[in-house]
Amino acid sequence: MIIGVTGGIASGKSTVARAFAALGIPWVDADEVAREIVAPGEPALAEIAEHFGEGVIAPDGSLDRRALREIVFGDAAERRRLEAITHPRIRERLIAHLARLQAQAAPYVLLVSPLLFESGQQALVDRCLVVDVPEAVQVARTAARDDVDEAQARAIVAAQMSRQERLDRADDVIDNSADEETLAPRVAELDRRYRAAGLPPSA
Ligand code: ATP
């Protein structure tokens, strides 16, 4: 069984994944795979340079994410072009990583992805676990962690899928608005259900 873990920026996906990992559950990070497939030497990077120009390649040969973001931001056609280059490769590599983990006989595995619903990766998982916090908490945690002020953090949150839309698509929800210690018993409860039943009853 594969559990998709998703949530908005700074909702606590990695924190939740680490809590499952402490119980022996392995996970694949879709963000990490998205970076892997555009590393120097990867065919996706060459295609990106071909389509978007050498201006998106940094002097050291890596992808200049900021330059690329500036091109695709607000340009739906260019964004779709970028996704057409990256999404199939991300998907292919996620499937390979997940298969490798499953071959290690884990009781179940996690696919942690900020864009589980938006990218079609939901099709790779049996069940979706949404990490949920109020938007004000997301904004505060983003501003505390990243190099952005609260207004910028609010704009990032506003540009993402809404909290309600995510909750509507969830099979299970984990509330991460309290401290990390509060998370542990809820993770343990979900872990028991995932191990026991293969598939737990709907949340
Ligand atoms: P992103 O997708 O934006 O990289 P994420 O959803 O994986 O983030 P985390 O990296 O787990 O989120 O957490 C975001 C920030 O919030 C981190 O700085 C983390 O330490 C903090 N954080 C997470 N959970 C809690 C909590 N329950 N209490 C306090 N701080 C928390």
Side-chain angles (χ1 to χ4, degrees):
M1 181 164 73
I2 302 172
I3 308 292
V5 178
T6 193
I9 184 168
S11 55
K13 298 176 290 296
S14 307
T15 305
V16 166
R18 279 195 299 272
F20 276 100
L23 303 175
I25 302 305
W27 52 297
V28 177
D29 182 340
D31 257 355
E32 213 173 288
V33 171
R35 283 192 297 272
E36 267 175 39
I37 62 114
V38 293
E42 290 284 342
L45 186 61
E47 263 189 57
I48 288 170
E50 196 178 310
H51 180 79
F52 295 97
E54 290 297 327
V56 300
I57 305 298
D60 67 357
S62 66
L63 180 62
D64 183 340
R65 290 165 187 284
R66 186 181 291 260
L68 184 59
R69 218 171 17 243
E70 271 165 25
I71 297 173
V72 302
F73 185 80
D75 187 330
E78 290 290 49
R79 202 179 57 243
R80 273 197 300 275
R81 184 74 198 102
L82 176 62
E83 289 172 353
I85 295 170
T86 56
H87 281 189
R89 292 186 167 97
I90 293 170
R91 183 188 164 85
E92 197 179 301
R93 202 151 315 178
L94 284 176
I95 290 170
H97 279 302
L98 288 165
R100 219 175 4 256
L101 289 184
Q102 287 180 308
Q104 294 168 9
Y108 60 95
V109 303
L110 307 181
L111 168 57
V112 180
S113 175
L115 298 176
L116 187 75
F117 299 131
E118 296 88 334
S119 67
Q121 289 165 6
Q122 189 179 353
L124 301 178
V125 306
D126 300 295
R127 210 166 166 84
C128 297
L129 170 60
V130 165
V131 184
D132 181 55
V133 291
E135 280 156 5
V137 173
Q138 273 184 283
V139 168
R141 288 182 185 164
T142 301
R145 182 192 61 179
D146 299 341
D147 187 24
V148 295
D149 61 29
E150 293 218 348
Q152 289 167 314
R154 257 194 303 279
I156 296 168
V157 170
Q160 294 189 333
M161 177 180 276
S162 76
R163 182 184 182 192
Q164 191 55 51
E165 219 175 321
R166 252 187 234 106
L167 289 173
D168 287 345
R169 296 171 188 224
D171 296 302
D172 303 303
V173 176
I174 186 158
D175 175 8
N176 187 31
S177 53
D179 57 21
E180 279 187 38
E181 290 68 48
T182 313
L183 219 47
R186 174 69 175 137
V187 168
E189 179 202 335
L190 286 164
D191 176 66
R192 271 194 303 277
R193 288 165 54 195
Y194 293 153
R195 281 175 196 259
L199 287 175
S202 285

